Amino acid sequence: MKKSKILLGIIVLLVAVLLTTACKVKESANEYDYLVLVNKYTQLPNDWEKNVKLVETKNAWDEDIKVEKEAFEQYKKFKEDVEKDLKKFKTTIELDSTYRSVKEQQELWDEWSKDPEKGPDYVKKFVAVPGYSEHHTGLAIDICLKKDGELVYDNDKMIAEKEIFSKIHAKLADYGFILRYPKDREDSTGYTYEPWHLRYIGDKDIAKEIMEKNITFEEYLDSVEDLDNNHSAAIYRIEKTLQEYFKGTYGDKIKSSRFNITKIYTKEEADKDDTLKDLKLGEKDLAFEVEYQVQPSNDKNIKELTVPDGEYNKELGWVTNIQRLGVLKYDSKTNKYSIKEFGTGW
Ligand SMILES: [Zn+2]
């Protein structure tokens, strides 16, 4: 009896150890890149939604909302800390809009598109294209203010609260957050000033660098030299170089372009791959697979444009929407990247 109890104990212990190990393995396989880039040109990675760990909470209006787990833990600490500085303004910070799935964004998009008077350009101005909103990541948090017991959530009214937001922004980096859409930086981020839109990037040192240098997230990614070890920086560099590449093809008449870079191969990976080794990548080159959509503007000179693999759509103008394999080639003399071998593969 005693022996079987010990045996049972050992089995229980073994199962417990095995379970913990299994969980740990699963956790590390699910680890994702907090530096993920999603903007008007770069799509949310395909496997993001099935891997993201969300927790449920309530916003300022007591509605159910979701936030990525680690981002929410850090947000709670940030809130507690920053509200000490906001006491003299009798202000607290509250949650507004946080996680939004691609499906929800699509429903929002479809709802707005139903109005025949609005058209695709009008809708695009006010609603992010499904798949291209940072709110899909669960790492974007829109806050609002509670001042003297009253909610302040109107965009213009929040922008007017300069002193309060400067206190809020000063503490963001201590908790791994950045101000994603700084003032007068639409050229880089694609968005006008949004003091309420906070973005969790995880790494406090990088967050401090971005906030102290007063640069955008895109500018930070652009400054990263080691593309092999920073996936988001590699994606940003490819996307940016592709935009330049298409400018060369279509001139300056591009209305919108969007990229979904589905795979990146370093030289080491490409050399091992039978179909890619012929590309003979250099040390700092990358091969990539991309689905892209480029939409040259629909103006009176449209017929002069040369659009390979494209089609003319009465409503949208020229549209190309295809998948390609390409190479991001590094030139050590100019320290610049260009697109080479684009279109090989498929
Ligand atoms: Zn937002």
Side-chain angles (χ1 to χ4, degrees):
M1 196 66 185
K2 214 177 178 187
K3 253 187 190 171
S4 69
K5 258 191 186 169
I6 293 170
L7 195 65
L8 187 70
I10 292 171
I11 290 170
V12 168
L13 194 71
L14 262 175
V15 169
V17 168
L18 278 173
L19 275 175
T20 334
T21 323
C23 283
K24 264 188 192 147
V25 170
K26 203 171 163 241
E27 210 165 75
S28 67
N30 267 357
E31 240 173 58
Y32 41 81
D33 186 8
Y34 283 104
L35 290 172
V36 65
L37 173 73
V38 179
N39 63 20
K40 284 187 175 168
Y41 312 107
T42 309
Q43 193 175 32
L44 181 81
N46 287 342
D47 54 355
W48 186 270
E49 288 195 297
K50 70 172 199 282
N51 289 333
V52 66
K53 289 193 198 96
L54 299 163
V55 288
E56 288 184 16
T57 183
K58 301 266 185 193
N59 69 5
W61 294 268
D62 214 29
E63 294 162 337
D64 293 321
I65 54 165
K66 289 175 188 166
V67 188
E68 193 278 331
K69 193 169 177 266
E70 189 181 304
F72 187 55
E73 277 160 22
Q74 291 300 311
Y75 169 78
K76 284 189 284 187
K77 289 181 193 164
F78 162 73
K79 175 178 159 73
E80 198 189 322
D81 188 8
V82 82
E83 283 180 351
K84 290 179 208 153
D85 300 338
L86 300 179
K87 256 191 189 136
K88 63 172 174 177
F89 303 99
K90 291 184 183 148
T91 297
T92 58
I93 56 173
E94 306 296 328
L95 293 167
D96 185 341
S97 184
T98 52
Y99 173 74
R100 218 176 297 135
S101 69
V102 177
K103 195 170 159 266
E104 284 163 336
Q105 191 76 16
Q106 187 67 54
E107 284 162 6
L108 198 69
W109 179 271
D110 293 343
E111 189 59 39
W112 277 64
S113 304
K114 269 182 198 159
D115 190 335
E117 281 179 15
K118 284 174 179 157
D121 282 343
Y122 182 89
V123 178
K124 240 180 246 175
K125 216 171 165 178
F126 296 98
V127 185
V129 176
Y132 294 82
S133 165
E134 200 179 57
H135 283 277
H136 297 325
T137 61
L139 305 171
I141 293 178
D142 288 344
I143 55 166
C144 59
L145 307 174
K146 198 174 205 172
K147 206 178 171 189
D148 249 340
E150 291 272 330
L151 279 179
V152 183
Y153 55 89
D154 175 82
N155 291 358
D156 291 334
K157 280 182 186 155
M158 281 202 280
I159 288 170
E161 296 289 357
K162 288 185 186 138
E163 230 181 314
I164 290 176
F165 273 104
S166 84
K167 297 269 182 222
I168 292 171
H169 297 159
K171 283 214 163 126
L172 284 176
D174 294 346
Y175 298 89
F177 286 91
I178 57 165
L179 173 65
R180 185 66 178 88
Y181 307 122
K183 211 170 182 178
D184 301 323
R185 293 314 315 273
E186 200 180 347
D187 62 313
S188 173
T189 64
Y191 289 88
T192 54
Y193 184 44
E194 291 194 6
W196 56 84
H197 182 110
L198 318 180
R199 161 66 197 272
Y200 185 68
I201 60 166
D203 190 311
K204 289 171 191 167
D205 292 330
I206 297 175
K208 274 185 188 136
E209 184 186 335
I210 291 170
M211 294 304 287
E212 276 165 20
K213 287 185 181 165
N214 199 15
I215 56 173
T216 65
F217 186 47
E218 279 82 359
E219 281 171 324
Y220 162 74
L221 292 176
D222 209 12
S223 73
V224 175
E225 300 231 332
D226 184 7
L227 300 186
D228 279 5
N229 289 308
N230 187 321
H231 192 69
S232 300
I235 285 184
Y236 181 65
R237 200 65 65 97
I238 294 167
E239 175 244 289
K240 218 179 114 181
T241 316
L242 275 172
Q243 289 198 37
E244 285 302 311
Y245 173 84
F246 284 112
K247 248 189 197 170
T249 311
Y250 304 117
D252 281 328
K253 296 186 178 69
I254 296 170
K255 189 156 66 176
S256 74
S257 44
R258 291 199 289 271
F259 305 99
N260 178 17
I261 296 147
T262 50
K263 211 164 168 57
I264 295 178
Y265 305 87
T266 59
K267 175 182 166 49
E268 206 183 316
E269 287 163 337
D271 285 351
K272 277 186 213 150
D273 191 309
D274 273 349
T275 52
L276 298 175
K277 64 181 179 206
D278 290 344
L279 293 172
K280 297 200 170 55
L281 297 189
E283 251 351 289
K284 289 178 94 174
D285 299 345
L286 298 171
F288 60 89
E289 292 170 17
V290 61
E291 295 161 3
Y292 66 95
Q293 189 186 82
V294 174
Q295 193 182 310
S297 67
N298 189 5
D299 65 23
K300 59 181 190 299
N301 298 319
I302 192 79
K303 300 234 158 48
E304 293 165 20
L305 292 167
T306 323
V307 183
D309 310 313
E311 57 177 59
Y312 189 73
N313 177 299
K314 261 189 182 169
E315 273 176 41
L316 301 172
W318 283 100
V319 177
T320 65
N321 194 357
I322 29 190
Q323 194 179 25
R324 283 277 182 264
L325 172 71
V327 172
L328 185 72
K329 190 110 193 121
Y330 177 71
D331 181 349
S332 59
K333 280 181 206 136
T334 57
N335 193 28
K336 278 188 176 148
Y337 287 92
S338 60
I339 300 291
K340 286 269 150 60
E341 311 277 352
F342 195 60
T344 55
W346 291 277

